[in-house]
Amino acid sequence: MPGSVTARTLGGLELLATDGGETVDGDDARAEPRIVEVAINKWLADGGQHLFPARGGTSTITLRALSVRPQCALYVGTVGGGSGVSTLVAKVRGHGPSWRGDLQSRGRPRLRRGSATASELTTLEYGGLRNIYTTFGMSHPEFGVVRPLGHLVEESTILMDYVEASTLREVFMAESRLRLSSRSALRTEATRDVWRRAGAWLRMFHQSTSEQSAPASQSNRQDVIDLFHAYHDFLSTRLGTRAVGDIARRGAVLAASVLPEQLPLVVGHGDYAPRNMFVSSRGRLSVFDPMPRWKIPCYEDVCRFLVALRLLGLQVHTHGAAYSQHELERRESDVIAAYFAPDAAPLDQLRCYQLLILLDKWSAVIDSSNQGWRPRLQTASMRLASGYLRRQAQRLIELSHS
Ligand SMILES: Nc1ncnc2c1ncn2[C@@H]1O[C@H](COP(=O)(O)OP(=O)(O)O)[C@@H](O)[C@H]1O
Ligand SMILES: [Mg+2]
């Protein structure tokens, strides 16, 4: 029921707003902001300053916290002075305060295995940002970029331009809450095209990475079938076979019938979701937070986006506003059509992959809820999220048989 969920119970839903896929290895704690500040000032003095058009003013920086997250912290600082101030963001990776407790593997199935150090992940993200920068440039009419400025290797830190814009997640939420007002109607018109852009952006990004090397993950149909069975085993052990039903097994049957034996691989974005995209006031889309660590089936990035959109639908719903099915579907089909154009989209394959990602999210929610024998979901938000994920999975199964 919209409005029946209190703000307190929404906390567990935040779990669904992360990819939960990258595991960090080792004891490399995050560098202290003061150490990063010193490193940035050295970087500025060694030539970094030339990246900014500002003249005069200060050439040293003082960092302020922007956001502290489980696996990284973001800081902002300004360079220059007077009318020529530039703001940069430092993204410092390492173990955040809640990292150890949240992400240590407890043996649940995952879309991918293997851990990497904070330093390796930072190098990959910086490479991804640079690739986006060279692929899309600064003057594309539809796409912006978050300009990468520097990589402080010792501090596992990326420097980039600060972007003053809403994320697509924020735009989507705001459209819902205000959708009956005239201001919202204007906003909707300006951002209508952004969903198509999200599909077109991903297509260009995948094309730009198709020659790159990276280890492959789920390169063939059998890998996907095995994963469906692993999710079935995990969920039915935790929740009981009646609660889980045959959703995951039907996913395996679907995979066997609709996926090609070898899946089309690309180096993925890794967390392609509305929270990782800025939308300018004119609807220009800038994607950030890449993690091009694996070659993955191209469906995965597309489907992560679609699943993230559905999960946002839940969050919007629990805030007391809503989207109609029709509105959600319109956005989904804009994304899909733009990604696959001019070809027809392989809808059954996409449903199959969305189902796989939903089962991964469902397993993550269950895994985080309790560790005891036959645990019960502890909080209202966990139950809400779990029930919603199950209904979304059911919906995909039904669609694939229609
Ligand atoms: N260049 C930037 N300019 C302004 N805000 C940013 C920038 N990069 C990140 N942010 C803000 O910080 C949040 C987290 O950044 P992100 O790189 O997505 O971290 P994570 O890897 O933890 O998901 C973003 O959702 C955005 O609000
Ligand atoms: Mg992010």
Side-chain angles (χ1 to χ4, degrees):
M1 287 276 293
S4 65
V5 181
T6 65
R8 194 172 53 79
T9 63
L10 289 173
L13 298 179
E14 290 304 314
L15 186 72
L16 299 176
T18 63
D19 71 344
E22 294 300 343
T23 323
V24 184
D25 208 15
D27 295 324
D28 38 357
R30 186 166 55 221
E32 287 297 323
R34 293 291 83 82
I35 295 174
V36 177
E37 204 172 85
V38 169
I40 296 177
N41 286 324
K42 180 171 183 317
W43 171 84
L44 282 168
D46 289 350
Q49 184 101 34
H50 298 299
L51 290 165
F52 304 100
R55 309 227 190 292
T58 171
S59 59
T60 58
I61 210 165
T62 307
L63 293 180
R64 297 188 315 280
L66 177 68
S67 169
V68 176
R69 308 171 63 75
Q71 298 190 48
C72 66
L74 291 103
Y75 302 94
V76 284
T78 51
V79 185
S83 58
V85 173
S86 299
T87 305
L88 64 75
V89 171
K91 180 171 178 179
V92 186
R93 203 178 271 277
H95 298 172
S98 63
W99 180 81
R100 278 173 192 279
D102 284 354
L103 285 186
Q104 262 171 6
S105 171
R106 302 173 190 122
R108 80 167 180 87
R110 286 172 185 272
L111 285 177
R112 43 203 49 97
R113 292 261 157 220
S115 55
T117 63
S119 162
E120 286 164 344
L121 294 175
T122 306
T123 304
L124 283 162
E125 181 173 351
Y126 189 65
L129 271 184
R130 287 195 61 85
N131 174 39
I132 292 171
Y133 183 65
T134 47
T135 303
F136 296 91
M138 294 291 280
S139 50
H140 196 286
E142 299 191 337
F143 307 121
V145 284
V146 178
R147 186 173 61 134
L149 300 172
H151 176 195
L152 307 178
V153 177
E154 292 284 305
E155 293 76 18
S156 294
T157 296
I158 289 172
L159 305 177
M160 56 190 146
D161 273 339
Y162 176 78
V163 176
E164 180 75 60
S166 302
T167 63
L168 182 53
R169 176 185 192 278
E170 290 161 347
V171 169
F172 178 80
M173 305 279 277
E175 277 179 2
S176 164
R177 257 180 247 132
L178 302 172
R179 75 193 218 279
L180 298 177
S181 76
S182 56
R183 205 177 125 226
S184 160
L186 288 175
R187 179 74 172 152
T188 305
E189 206 45 55
T191 55
R192 199 186 161 92
D193 217 26
V194 87
W195 305 96
R196 184 191 61 71
R197 285 180 186 175
W201 188 97
L202 189 61
R203 166 76 166 264
M204 260 177 92
F205 176 76
H206 282 170
Q207 283 170 345
S208 79
T209 66
S210 61
E211 299 299 315
Q212 289 176 18
S213 66
S217 173
Q218 273 112 45
S219 55
N220 61 61
R221 181 171 61 209
Q222 192 57 44
D223 292 344
V224 177
I225 294 172
D226 292 346
L227 256 178
F228 273 117
H229 287 301
Y231 287 122
H232 173 82
D233 293 346
F234 174 79
L235 288 168
S236 37
T237 305
R238 288 298 181 91
L239 296 173
T241 39
R242 254 189 69 215
V244 180
D246 60 355
I247 292 176
R249 284 197 171 137
R250 290 172 75 180
V253 172
L254 182 63
S257 71
V258 303
L259 294 182
E261 195 180 337
Q262 296 297 324
L263 302 178
L265 297 183
V266 291
V267 176
H269 174 279
D271 194 11
Y272 200 65
R275 64 181 170 273
N276 288 326
M277 300 166 187
F278 289 121
V279 185
S280 77
S281 54
R282 296 180 157 198
R284 257 171 118 215
L285 187 79
S286 308
V287 180
F288 58 99
D289 200 11
M291 186 42 65
R293 187 175 165 198
W294 303 94
K295 278 209 150 155
I296 54 173
C298 68
Y299 320 121
E300 188 180 316
D301 274 343
V302 183
C303 292
R304 266 191 195 285
F305 187 93
L306 301 177
V307 168
L309 197 57
R310 288 277 161 181
L311 297 182
L312 273 180
L314 170 65
Q315 297 193 338
V316 167
H317 187 68
T318 52
H319 279 90
Y323 283 96
S324 66
Q325 282 303 313
H326 169 74
E327 285 173 297
L328 273 177
E329 280 162 17
R330 176 183 60 76
R331 288 170 172 83
E332 285 175 341
S333 52
D334 279 0
V335 175
I336 295 171
Y339 182 84
F340 290 97
D343 299 328
L347 292 180
D348 277 337
Q349 297 170 20
L350 293 175
R351 282 170 192 144
C352 178
Y353 240 86
Q354 284 177 79
L355 187 58
L356 191 72
I357 291 168
L358 277 170
L359 291 171
D360 186 67
K361 300 267 181 199
W362 193 7
S363 302
V365 166
I366 299 304
D367 194 32
S368 71
S369 68
N370 205 322
Q371 294 306 299
W373 171 246
R374 303 295 298 271
R376 288 175 30 224
L377 294 181
Q378 284 179 319
T379 66
S381 81
M382 291 293 181
R383 273 200 301 278
L384 182 74
S386 184
Y388 185 83
L389 288 164
R390 190 221 316 256
R391 285 195 299 283
Q392 290 296 325
Q394 196 68 46
R395 172 188 143 264
L396 288 166
I397 292 280
E398 279 157 21
L399 277 174
S400 68
H401 287 89
S402 61

